[in-house]
Amino acid sequence: MATRRKTAKTAKAVKATKAVKATKAAKAAKATKAKIPNARKVETLQRRVEELERWFNTQDRQIRFLERERQKLSVLVNHSDAGFLVIDKSRRVRWANNVFCDWYDCKNLSRGNERVHCNEIICGEKEICKDCPADYALKTGTVVHQEMALVIAERSRQIYFTAMPIKSPEGEIDETMLMLQDITDLEVLRQSQEELMAAKESSEAANRAKSDFLANMSHEVRTPMTGVLGMSGLLLDTELTEEQREYARIIQSSAHALLNVINDILDFSKMEAGKLTMEPLAFDLSAAVNQVTDIVVDSAAAKGIELIVRFSTDIPRRVVGDAGRIRQVLLNLVSNAVKFTSKGYVLVSVENLGNKDDVARLRFSVRDTGIGVPRDRVEMIFEKFTQADGSITNRYGGTGLGLAISRQLVELMGGEIDVKSDLGLGSTFTFTIDCPIDDCLSGLPLPKADLEGVRVMIIHGHDMVRGVLEEQISDWGARVSAHARGVSALADARQASEDGDPYQIMIVGYEIPDMRVEVLAGVIKDDPNLGTTSLIMLTSVGQLGEARRFEAAGFDAYLTKPTQPSELMETLTTVWGIKKAGKEAGLITRYTLTESEHLSVAAATEVAVAEDERKRIRVLVVEDDVCNQKVSRNILGILGCHVDVVTDGRKALTALESTRYDLVLMDCQLPEMNGYDATREIRSREKETGTRTPIVAMTANALEGDNETCIKAGMDDYLTKPLEKGILEEMLQRHVRSWRTPSVV
Ligand code: ADP
């Protein structure tokens, strides 16, 4: 009963609570309805605040951006070395940079409250000038540039003035920025540049004048030199007393020395002008070396120096290169070696360091036993006008140009030149160049060594000569022994004969220490066991009459040093061939060797044919200078040619109409019709006849371009005066197939 009462009480209470809650909710809803307009206002305000924040942020960014731009401009203006200032419409200075303030010493740009006028500072004038560029810029709104002279810090300066108008936000020009650039130094630079240009032009003109002068001088000097060299050469070929011969030799060697100096100077100036170029042609390597050693052989012999030539066996016979320049470098090295050596030897070696794609790497070296070069001077001697020490000029002469030119030449040939030297002991100069091997060997058969097993004895007092000969002859398959003295040589020869393996050939040096060579030859020839041995005399200088003396003493052949390997081989094979055939032959000399037909019985007839052919060779010399006519006529005469001489190009055309010539030697500068025009005419006429006569230019100009002009005109080759026998011989060899060296000693 009590529980039921309690439950009724609770239900009543719950009901009352619910009623209270409902009343409260109704009141709250009423109150909220009244608050809504205020909330909107707050929302609007909040949006405004956010917008303002964004606006402030944008403004802030812009301010920062402008500040940064201002800083850049300030850096530019304050760190520039130009003066900047801003003036207002009445030319009062509103602002100036440090440079401007420093220049005009005007940190304070106002006078009391008044700002100063720009004309007072810059021009030092009270009034504005009539043609003031700043004024013009302000009035017209255009940027004005003007160069003007101003005095700044008491120094007169050249100023590049720029006035740049500035617009107000309203678009009115109310200020101008002035920029003052000091271009005084630039002006100085410009002036000196102009002066430099003028100097360059005048030096180029002077250089052209120098080249012209050199060309003329070269021509003028070379022409008389042709006479001196040619005539003294011819004089030496006549019979003379010893005294006369000596005089003629001195004339010739002095003329050669003079010509060398002229050539060096000419080369040097070409080198300086970068005009030294190479003219590669196929040439005979051993002949080129021969021509060089031929020039120094007399002076080496006169000093008692052995001049030795060594070729390695794998040297190609003909290579392509500028033979003249290779000879020039080699001659310079060999002449120096002879000049700076008083006893011992000069060894000229040519080695093949290897072939690659038909190109041979050739090493030429010249070793001497002379004074040597001090270690610290070794590099310097390749500099122009430099000698190893100051006393050299007095003692040995020279210009100090030779090695500088040689180095340049070798480098132009793509090679390198080097020296190793020991003071007091000697030097070895080496140059290495790459030369393509000429495969066109027609008419130039390689000599065949047929010396397999032949016993050869060398008797020579000089170790190096003996060594080189032994090495070379062994390479050809012969069995070689060498002796320094006659007595031991005789003992060895007798022993060999007793052993049934006698020496077949003996090569005897001109001077052996223990006996005269004639005595040695006599002993051998008189000995029944040795008498059949062939004897070859090896001497330094061939002199008229000596050949007969040796022939009488029993010698079979006579060779002058330095012997070229080809010549030595030919002598040995010729001597051996005659001996094997059991034939008798006269003394064999270098001049008879070109006819390898000596080996056969048919030799006599073939030589006769060759002689006849040679006689038929006709050379037309076109030359107006009487002295040169004589020289060329005589040299060609000695070389066994029939010579006709005419004095100008027109006469040459007439001569060629009536006679067939094997070669024309054409001077370039001729009266009536010059050599170039004459050649062009000859070539055009030949088109009709289908013939072609070799034409070789004789030019006194050794300058760049001359050779090209000759070839362009239709000439086949050229030689520079003075004419020399060796060079003419080479020309005949090259251009006249039927030509043979005459067989005279
Ligand atoms: P030149 O011989 O005309 O003085 P080079 O240029 O040919 O000029 O040589 C320069 C110098 O090098 C020579 O003066 C000499 O001092 C030195 N020289 C050259 N070759 C030799 C050599 N074979 N032995 C010693 N010294 C040499």
Side-chain angles (χ1 to χ4, degrees):
M1 186 67 179
T3 314
R4 206 181 291 152
R5 243 184 279 132
K6 203 176 171 183
T7 313
K9 240 178 165 177
T10 311
K12 224 173 158 184
V14 169
K15 206 175 171 181
T17 311
K18 274 186 181 168
V20 173
K21 272 188 183 169
T23 314
K24 270 186 186 169
K27 273 187 188 165
K30 212 174 165 188
T32 311
K33 254 188 188 168
K35 272 184 192 165
I36 282 175
N38 281 345
R40 282 221 181 95
K41 269 185 202 157
V42 171
E43 262 173 37
T44 316
L45 273 174
Q46 270 176 346
R47 241 189 315 213
R48 282 264 170 85
V49 169
E50 280 165 16
E51 270 168 19
L52 266 174
E53 262 175 19
R54 273 202 298 279
W55 184 80
F56 274 121
N57 283 344
T58 317
Q59 290 302 310
D60 190 43
R61 271 203 303 276
Q62 278 180 357
I63 289 169
R64 278 174 209 240
F65 173 76
L66 286 174
E67 176 57 19
R68 192 150 176 76
E69 292 304 298
R70 196 193 66 77
Q71 270 181 10
K72 281 187 202 166
L73 280 174
S74 154
V75 166
L76 176 75
V77 171
N78 285 319
H79 293 275
S80 150
D81 50 8
F84 282 91
L85 68 158
V86 176
I87 54 169
D88 62 17
K89 266 170 123 178
S90 54
R91 287 101 208 157
R92 287 204 166 83
V93 179
R94 315 291 311 174
W95 171 88
N97 74 343
N98 294 340
V99 175
F100 186 85
C101 293
D102 284 350
W103 279 357
Y104 290 100
D105 196 16
C106 55
K107 285 271 179 293
N108 193 358
L109 293 165
S110 55
R111 214 186 303 110
N113 290 334
E114 275 257 298
R115 289 187 173 269
V116 289
H117 285 97
C118 66
N119 44 298
E120 291 172 59
I121 307 179
I122 299 174
C123 315
E125 302 284 346
K126 279 255 175 269
E127 300 299 322
I128 296 170
C129 323
K130 240 183 20 221
D131 47 0
C132 171
D135 199 40
Y136 187 79
L138 269 170
K139 280 184 185 147
T140 61
T142 45
V143 177
V144 183
H145 302 275
Q146 191 174 316
E147 255 188 62
M148 55 176 73
L150 291 176
V151 176
I152 300 174
E154 293 173 8
R155 284 175 65 201
S156 109
R157 319 294 298 168
Q158 192 67 18
I159 296 294
Y160 190 79
F161 189 96
T162 313
M164 297 161 275
I166 304 170
K167 277 184 186 163
S168 70
E170 290 74 36
E172 185 203 350
I173 295 161
D174 59 352
E175 285 182 331
T176 297
M177 181 178 274
L178 306 181
M179 179 170 70
L180 285 74
Q181 288 172 280
D182 185 350
I183 54 164
T184 318
D185 292 345
L186 279 180
E187 192 55 25
V188 171
L189 210 72
R190 194 166 61 196
Q191 263 170 23
S192 54
Q193 216 164 17
E194 274 166 18
E195 279 163 22
L196 261 172
M197 284 302 286
K200 186 175 163 255
E201 268 161 30
S202 85
S203 95
E204 275 169 3
N207 212 21
R208 276 194 297 277
K210 188 185 86 179
S211 294
D212 289 349
F213 168 74
L214 275 170
N216 287 338
M217 187 198 79
S218 148
H219 182 265
E220 294 306 321
V221 176
R222 277 161 181 273
T223 305
M225 288 296 278
T226 309
V228 179
L229 273 171
M231 288 299 174
S232 54
L234 292 173
L235 193 63
L236 281 167
D237 281 343
T238 61
E239 258 188 59
L240 298 172
T241 65
E242 255 325 291
E243 201 178 10
Q244 288 166 335
R245 181 167 298 282
E246 185 59 19
Y247 294 162
R249 273 221 183 96
I250 292 171
I251 294 173
Q252 200 179 41
S253 69
S254 311
H256 262 300
L258 184 57
L259 193 66
N260 283 342
V261 173
I262 293 166
N263 285 341
D264 272 3
I265 293 172
L266 204 63
D267 272 348
F268 178 67
S269 64
K270 277 201 241 174
M271 203 167 94
E272 293 276 279
K275 282 187 175 171
L276 212 66
T277 50
M278 294 292 128
E279 290 168 32
L281 284 171
F283 70 99
D284 187 314
L285 197 54
S286 84
V289 176
N290 204 4
Q291 278 156 8
V292 170
T293 49
D294 264 1
I295 295 172
V296 293
V297 69
D298 285 356
S299 43
K303 291 176 91 174
I305 301 166
E306 288 290 342
L307 183 61
I308 310 158
V309 177
R310 178 167 65 191
F311 272 82
S312 67
T313 40
D314 49 355
I315 290 289
R317 178 133 189 211
R318 279 172 72 83
V319 290
V320 178
D322 190 326
R325 294 302 187 183
I326 294 174
R327 274 199 308 254
Q328 184 180 351
V329 176
L330 197 59
L331 179 61
N332 181 40
L333 302 185
V334 178
S335 316
N336 276 350
V338 172
K339 180 160 89 170
F340 294 110
T341 303
S342 55
K343 62 175 193 297
Y345 63 86
V346 170
L347 171 66
V348 183
S349 309
V350 188
E351 286 163 88
N352 186 358
L353 300 184
N355 297 342
K356 200 175 162 205
D357 301 332
D358 286 338
V359 175
R361 173 152 295 182
L362 300 177
R363 179 161 70 193
F364 299 79
S365 53
V366 180
R367 179 158 133 199
D368 66 55
T369 51
I371 60 171
V373 183
R375 207 173 283 259
D376 59 331
R377 303 290 294 173
V378 164
E379 250 314 297
M380 281 179 203
I381 57 172
F382 289 100
E383 301 294 327
K384 58 194 179 223
F385 302 115
T386 311
Q387 301 184 317
D389 74 65
S391 65
I392 293 276
T393 317
N394 296 342
R395 272 159 51 211
Y396 300 97
T399 54
L401 277 178
L403 287 179
I405 293 170
S406 297
R407 174 152 76 179
Q408 180 89 3
L409 288 176
V410 171
E411 282 172 3
L412 273 173
M413 291 188 257
E416 47 198 46
I417 191 164
D418 197 14
V419 59
K420 289 205 168 41
S421 190
D422 282 317
L423 195 60
L425 294 175
S427 321
T428 306
F429 285 81
T430 312
F431 68 96
T432 310
I433 48 171
D434 286 342
C435 291
I437 300 166
D438 179 39
D439 49 10
C440 170
L441 290 173
S442 52
L444 284 160
L446 274 167
K448 288 179 288 299
D450 184 17
L451 296 169
E452 204 55 50
V454 178
R455 268 204 107 178
V456 178
M457 179 187 279
I458 299 159
I459 312 166
H460 203 286
H462 200 283
D463 295 350
M464 183 54 83
V465 179
R466 258 195 336 269
V468 171
L469 285 176
E470 200 173 349
E471 178 189 296
Q472 222 141 48
I473 301 169
S474 305
D475 274 345
W476 299 325
R479 292 177 297 142
V480 189
S481 307
H483 291 272
R485 302 178 154 263
V487 173
S488 63
L490 277 175
D492 183 16
R494 285 189 183 119
Q495 188 61 51
S497 170
E498 260 174 45
D499 297 343
D501 185 16
Y503 286 96
Q504 280 108 4
I505 301 173
M506 285 186 183
I507 301 173
V508 186
Y510 184 62
E511 275 175 348
I512 42 175
D514 56 347
M515 62 176 76
R516 282 183 48 232
V517 282
E518 280 105 330
V519 174
L520 177 72
V523 173
I524 293 168
K525 288 290 159 186
D526 291 344
D527 188 322
N529 296 327
L530 305 179
T532 55
T533 320
S534 298
L535 295 181
I536 300 174
M537 158 59 63
L538 190 62
T539 176
S540 294
V541 202
Q543 287 194 354
L544 279 175
E546 282 215 319
R548 255 148 233 111
R549 205 179 104 208
F550 293 126
E551 190 173 12
F555 280 90
D556 301 272
Y558 168 88
L559 265 180
T560 45
K561 279 188 296 180
T563 40
Q564 295 296 315
S566 55
E567 209 174 277
L568 178 66
M569 183 198 276
E570 280 179 78
T571 307
L572 283 167
T573 47
T574 305
V575 167
W576 178 232
I578 291 168
K579 188 172 161 66
K580 269 200 305 190
K583 301 280 166 206
E584 283 290 320
L587 188 75
I588 294 155
T589 69
R590 70 190 300 181
Y591 299 107
T592 55
L593 284 174
T594 41
E595 308 302 335
S596 58
E597 297 87 336
H598 262 295
L599 289 172
S600 71
V601 183
T605 37
E606 287 197 40
V607 170
V609 170
E611 289 278 300
D612 280 345
E613 268 178 350
R614 181 172 54 72
K615 273 188 195 133
R616 280 206 299 274
I617 286 169
R618 293 187 87 97
V619 179
L620 178 65
V621 174
V622 193
E623 168 66 85
D624 61 326
D625 184 277
V626 180
C627 182
N628 286 342
Q629 285 173 2
K630 212 163 185 175
V631 171
S632 40
R633 190 190 278 280
N634 283 330
I635 296 180
L636 287 166
I638 286 177
L639 291 171
C641 305
H642 178 96
V643 188
D644 293 328
V645 177
V646 289
T647 51
D648 65 64
R650 217 168 280 290
K651 292 194 182 110
L653 293 177
T654 317
L656 281 159
E657 275 165 17
S658 56
T659 315
R660 198 192 63 76
Y661 286 97
D662 298 282
L663 185 77
V664 178
L665 284 180
M666 180 80 80
D667 187 21
C668 294
Q669 293 176 0
L670 292 165
E672 289 290 317
M673 181 187 261
N674 69 34
Y676 307 117
D677 290 341
T679 306
R680 275 189 277 270
E681 182 57 32
I682 295 169
R683 292 296 177 233
S684 109
R685 289 184 185 185
E686 280 175 349
K687 279 199 188 117
E688 287 155 28
T689 57
T691 56
R692 188 179 166 96
T693 310
I695 304 177
V696 173
M698 295 185 287
T699 156
N701 294 338
L703 284 181
E704 186 61 30
D706 291 332
N707 307 335
E708 218 174 282
T709 320
C710 296
I711 303 294
K712 268 196 194 142
M715 302 189 194
D716 299 272
D717 216 328
Y718 51 84
L719 46 85
T720 32
K721 292 175 186 174
L723 297 183
E724 283 182 69
K725 199 163 124 198
I727 308 278
L728 266 176
E729 200 170 344
E730 199 182 302
M731 285 295 154
L732 288 168
Q733 231 158 28
R734 199 180 292 170
H735 297 287
V736 188
R737 285 189 68 82
S738 50
W739 186 78
R740 298 281 189 283
T741 317
S743 52
V744 288
V745 180

